[in-house]
Amino acid sequence: RAAGFSFRHQVISSPAATRLRALYDAALDAAQPGPATRAAVERLPLERTARRWIVAVGKAAPAMTAATLDALASRGLDLA
């Protein structure tokens, strides 16, 4: 992403604009449901023999489901 901001077709590039863009990018990255879900699932104390189900609803459901499946697979766990 560009470091400057566009204002009426003019690109504003300054240390402040660069800092604001970095903060904006960090906020967007923090709001990604996949990485947050994967990290949460990896912290769960799951037993190998326990049955598991995934229920995900909403626009973030596909990303959350994929992240959950990846986290379970990396631990050698399957779904029931």
Side-chain angles (χ1 to χ4, degrees), residues 6-73:
S6 177
F7 180 74
R8 294 186 188 223
H9 307 291
Q10 292 179 329
V11 175
I12 301 169
S13 183
S14 68
T18 301
R19 186 93 188 244
L20 286 172
R21 186 58 190 223
L23 290 171
Y24 176 78
D25 290 341
L28 286 181
D29 290 341
Q32 296 297 318
T37 301
R38 183 180 176 105
V41 172
E42 288 174 345
R43 288 191 303 269
L44 292 174
L46 300 174
E47 296 177 24
R48 185 165 299 283
T49 58
R51 295 182 73 181
R52 294 167 259 306
W53 294 270
I54 297 175
V55 178
V57 179
K59 57 187 172 184
M64 294 171 71
T65 301
T68 299
L69 292 172
D70 287 345
L72 292 174

